[in-house]
Amino acid sequence: NSNAPFAGYSSLYSSLFSQSPLQPVTFSNGLPAAFLTTASNPIYQAQNGGYKLAENNYFTGRFKAKLIIPFVKGLSAEGVASVDRSNLFGKDFSTPYKLYRADVNGNYNPVTGVDSKGNDLKPMLNESVTKANYITMNFSLNYTRTFAKHNLGALFLYESTETKTDVLSAARTNIFSNTSDQLFAGDASITNNGSASESGRVGYVGRLNYSYS
């Protein structure tokens, strides 16, 4: 599981290390400063730019049973089942933030967090859920018997694999508040998507052994 700043640690560290140590994080009046070379401020961005949340839940199980057939000498059966399940939840919440630069007249103007007309930008939200199931089944019959000097063996093996995945995602723009990280808080610009896949495979193996000693 992880909960990281929306911009990502790599981008934030790269922006931080490329700046002059004389670059202020905030102006004397408390407004966050945009860096001179780029319109960024990784300190403020990490705290106010939103987040990327990932929650992963996994289950892995293996079950095995072996049976000696009592009424047929030399015959045994064995079964193995492997189950893998994963549930992945992702949530990306991008929140605009204002960074300022001072002009020659001493005015502080925002260079991020606003559109071309000076209107405040609104947050965006993306959520996704991915469910995946992987099942592998093995069943075998094994026969081994010796008749005098004749050694006889037989094997039958059955294997099946099955994979199912389901993906559901949704996005909203113009979330009305930086603290409302829910889909219902967006406007009518709705983006929903979903997909599913299923695959399987079955295999059979047979073998006979004979030796004389």
Side-chain angles (χ1 to χ4, degrees), residues 10-213:
S10 178
S11 176
L12 293 175
Y13 283 130
S14 176
S15 177
L16 182 63
F17 293 148
S18 64
Q19 301 304 319
S20 168
L22 302 178
Q23 169 69 49
V25 176
T26 59
F27 293 109
S28 58
N29 60 4
L31 291 176
F35 285 0
L36 297 177
T37 54
T38 59
S40 64
N41 184 327
I43 304 299
Y44 197 79
Q45 188 176 4
Q47 298 173 341
N48 300 277
Y51 62 84
K52 287 188 175 183
L53 174 67
E55 296 179 348
N56 305 327
N57 296 303
Y58 296 99
F59 170 80
T60 299
R62 187 173 186 269
F63 310 93
K64 181 178 180 180
K66 186 174 183 179
L67 176 64
I68 304 299
I69 309 299
F71 49 84
V72 180
K73 186 177 181 180
L75 181 63
S76 64
E78 184 174 302
V80 180
S82 299
V83 179
D84 296 283
R85 292 185 175 182
S86 64
N87 292 280
L88 313 179
F89 173 72
K91 190 172 186 177
D92 298 346
F93 189 48
S94 174
T95 55
Y97 53 92
K98 290 183 180 180
L99 300 177
Y100 295 83
R101 283 181 179 154
D103 60 21
V104 294
N105 296 319
N107 298 316
Y108 295 90
N109 304 305
V111 295
T112 65
V114 295
D115 60 20
S116 58
K117 297 180 180 180
N119 299 315
D120 291 347
L121 297 177
K122 298 295 184 180
M124 296 184 297
L125 176 63
N126 289 274
E127 291 190 20
S128 63
V129 177
T130 302
K131 297 175 61 177
N133 294 316
Y134 309 93
I135 300 175
T136 300
M137 304 287 289
N138 294 94
F139 176 75
S140 63
L141 287 173
N142 189 61
Y143 181 74
T144 303
R145 188 79 182 271
T146 299
F147 301 92
K149 295 184 178 181
H150 303 275
N151 302 310
L152 181 64
L155 172 68
F156 171 77
L157 178 64
Y158 165 84
E159 180 178 276
S160 67
T161 60
E162 181 179 322
T163 302
K164 293 182 179 181
T165 59
D166 292 280
V167 180
L168 180 65
S169 62
R172 298 293 187 273
T173 59
N174 294 324
I175 303 294
F176 62 75
S177 171
N178 284 13
T179 60
S180 300
D181 55 350
Q182 302 298 325
L183 292 172
F184 72 85
D187 63 8
S189 300
I190 299 174
T191 302
N192 297 330
N193 195 15
S195 63
S197 64
E198 182 175 355
S199 63
R201 182 178 60 188
V202 174
Y204 303 91
V205 175
R207 186 184 66 190
L208 290 174
N209 298 326
Y210 172 79
S211 65
Y212 179 82
S213 59

